[in-house]
Amino acid sequence: MGLRSPDHAAASARRDGATPVMLDWPATLARKGPRPLRPADLVWRAVPPEPACLHVIVLDASGSMLRRGRLARAKTVALLLVQRAARRDQHVALLLASGYGAQVLQPPAPARRALGVTVRAVRGGGGTPLTVALQRAETLAQAWARRFGGRARRVLWLLTDGQVRQEPPRPAFEVCVVVDADDDQPALGQARQWAHHWQAHHVALNDWN
């Protein structure tokens, strides 16, 4: 009788609708003792499910984001975020801040429901109602978290060049990431300052990989 690998057993459990499991090697070796390992010695432990996670993407589509292809590159990053969340069975929401106002293009939903067409169709221009968009993002995320319980995790991705007059207040998310599209020479640096004040992660749009 062959021994099944932990990965094989976990996959079998998922196919059968059971809880995924993994091999507990310390307990297995303690049960085995000095004799050769037998299938009856194997100790399996249930793998606790990962907490639900929502990625809220707020895309700045103002007129300044049209410079040097900033918006096009930001849309590519937004698509990558959706694809990554889909691979992990996570949820996403997409909000837009532009001269057309603060729009909810996609309320919180499983990421596997493709957003590609929605993201690619985004057109930019006008002002940046960023504070309103972030407030809506926070409200949507709070409502989603109430549905999924205390372990639910909310991540904000703000894709912006920071070209607004007043710094928005930090939204109530467990994790905030500012993807900075400011590539002016010299850079205005406001998006970087927001990340610092919010104690958020900061990454340059041009450095995204």
Side-chain angles (χ1 to χ4, degrees):
M1 178 177 178
L3 301 182
R4 296 189 302 170
S5 70
D7 290 342
H8 178 81
S12 297
R14 282 192 291 269
R15 283 197 300 270
D16 297 340
T19 302
V21 296
M22 66 181 297
L23 187 61
D24 185 334
W25 275 112
T28 294
L29 294 174
R31 176 183 288 181
K32 178 186 80 68
R35 54 183 166 70
L37 181 66
R38 300 177 304 179
D41 297 325
L42 300 181
V43 178
W44 300 94
R45 301 293 184 199
V47 178
E50 291 186 3
C53 183
L54 170 67
H55 297 271
V56 180
I57 303 166
V58 177
L59 179 59
D60 178 354
S62 61
S64 63
M65 286 289 287
L66 299 178
R67 299 175 192 162
R68 293 185 290 279
R70 292 173 179 170
L71 181 57
R73 284 180 279 124
K75 287 160 62 174
T76 298
V77 170
L79 282 171
L80 290 173
L81 291 172
V82 173
Q83 292 165 3
R84 179 185 295 179
R87 289 195 298 269
R88 299 177 180 178
D89 291 328
Q90 296 172 338
H91 289 207
V92 295
L94 176 65
L95 293 92
L96 192 67
S98 72
Y100 300 102
Q103 302 171 273
V104 179
L105 298 185
Q106 171 66 58
R112 60 181 176 273
R113 299 177 187 171
L115 282 171
V117 174
T118 300
V119 175
R120 292 188 182 95
V122 166
R123 297 290 181 269
T128 319
L130 207 53
T131 297
V132 176
L134 291 172
Q135 289 171 344
R136 289 190 180 177
E138 183 178 305
T139 300
L140 287 172
Q142 288 173 343
W144 175 89
R146 285 194 292 271
R147 290 169 46 210
F148 284 89
R151 295 185 68 227
R153 188 165 178 259
R154 298 162 297 172
V155 181
L156 172 72
W157 298 86
L158 173 59
L159 283 64
T160 182
D161 58 8
Q163 306 283 334
V164 299
R165 293 183 179 179
Q166 187 172 5
E167 177 180 326
R170 187 195 193 281
F173 283 76
E174 285 79 14
V175 178
C176 291
V177 183
V178 178
V179 181
D180 189 354
D182 182 3
D183 57 359
D184 287 341
Q185 297 296 329
L188 182 61
Q190 291 198 153
R192 179 181 291 275
Q193 290 179 9
W194 299 351
H196 175 71
H197 295 160
W198 292 1
Q199 295 183 322
H201 301 282
H202 175 271
V203 59
L205 179 64
N206 289 339
D207 292 341
W208 185 271
N209 51 48

